[in-house]
Amino acid sequence: MDTGFDLRKHGGVDVFLRDCPTRAVLELIAGKWTMLVLVALEDGRPMRFAELRRRLDGVTPKMLTQTLRALEREGLLTRSVYPTVPPCVEYRLTGLGQEVGGLIQSITDWSQANIDAIRAAREDFDERTARQPPRAAF
C-alpha cells in the first residue's frame, strides 16, 4: 500500500502503515480519559488517585487505573509511592508527558473557544439532514 513518502527507508516510521509502532502511541493519546488525565496533570502539580478521579467526572476506578498504567508504561507519567499508612501514591507527568500535555491543552483551549460554532454547525447539519430522504450506506 503506497502511503506517500516512506520514511522507513530513512530511519523513520510511517504512521499510515498498520504495523507502525507510533500508531499505538497515537491510539493511547487520542483516548478520552488519556487526554483528560494529561490536561489535569499538565500544570506540573502531582495528584493522587482520588484527586484525579474527582477531577475527571464520570471515570470509573478501573478505567482510571488502566489509563494511568498505560501512561506510566509509555513514559508519560511517574507513579510515586510513599511509605505512609495508608500508602500515599502520587502521579506526575514526565518531560514527555508535559510536552504532549501542552499539546492536548492547546486542543482543549481550541475546543472551548469554538464550541459555539461547532454546536451551530451540528444543529445546521441535523436540520438539513432531517429534511432530506435517507442516504444509501457507503
Side-chain angles (χ1 to χ4, degrees), residues 35-51:
M35 293 183 90
L36 292 173
V37 166
L38 290 169
V39 171
L41 293 171
E42 198 264 334
D43 67 0
R45 187 177 61 84
M47 293 181 81
R48 296 179 69 174
F49 186 89
E51 270 184 288

Side-chain angles (χ1 to χ4, degrees), residues 11-12 25 31 34 52 70 72-73 89-90 102-103 115-117 131:
V25 176
T34 298
L52 280 167
E72 183 180 13
R73 182 172 186 250
V89 180
E90 291 182 336
L103 296 170
I115 191 61
D116 291 337
R131 294 186 302 251

Side-chain angles (χ1 to χ4, degrees), residues 2-135:
D2 182 18
T3 60
F5 186 70
D6 190 348
L7 295 175
R8 292 174 300 164
K9 297 174 187 172
H10 306 283
V13 294
D14 186 347
V15 71
F16 296 104
L17 296 175
R18 77 182 75 164
D19 61 346
C20 179
T22 57
R23 272 203 184 180
V25 176
L26 289 175
E27 287 173 11
L28 171 66
I29 292 169
K32 171 176 70 173
W33 297 118
T34 298
M35 293 183 90
L36 292 173
V37 166
L38 290 169
V39 171
L41 293 171
E42 198 264 334
D43 67 0
R45 187 177 61 84
M47 293 181 81
R48 296 179 69 174
F49 186 89
E51 270 184 288
L52 280 167
R53 184 150 179 247
R54 282 190 301 272
R55 182 84 170 114
L56 306 178
D57 187 32
V59 69
T60 64
K62 179 181 177 183
M63 183 53 63
L64 182 55
T65 297
Q66 289 174 349
T67 301
L68 292 169
R69 284 185 181 159
L71 289 168
E72 183 180 13
R73 182 172 186 250
E74 300 299 327
L76 299 178
L77 68 74
T78 58
R79 179 180 182 267
S80 300
V81 181
Y82 300 98
T84 59
V85 178
C88 175
V89 180
E90 291 182 336
Y91 299 91
R92 179 189 303 262
L93 293 181
T94 63
L96 279 175
Q98 285 283 333
E99 190 175 340
V100 73
L103 296 170
I104 302 298
Q105 182 63 59
S106 295
I107 293 170
T108 301
D109 294 343
W110 177 88
S111 299
Q112 291 172 339
N114 290 286
I115 191 61
D116 291 337
I118 292 167
R119 284 181 178 156
R122 184 184 306 152
E123 289 173 11
D124 182 55
F125 177 87
D126 291 346
E127 287 174 14
R128 279 193 333 266
T129 58
R131 294 186 302 251
Q132 295 174 353
R135 297 189 320 192

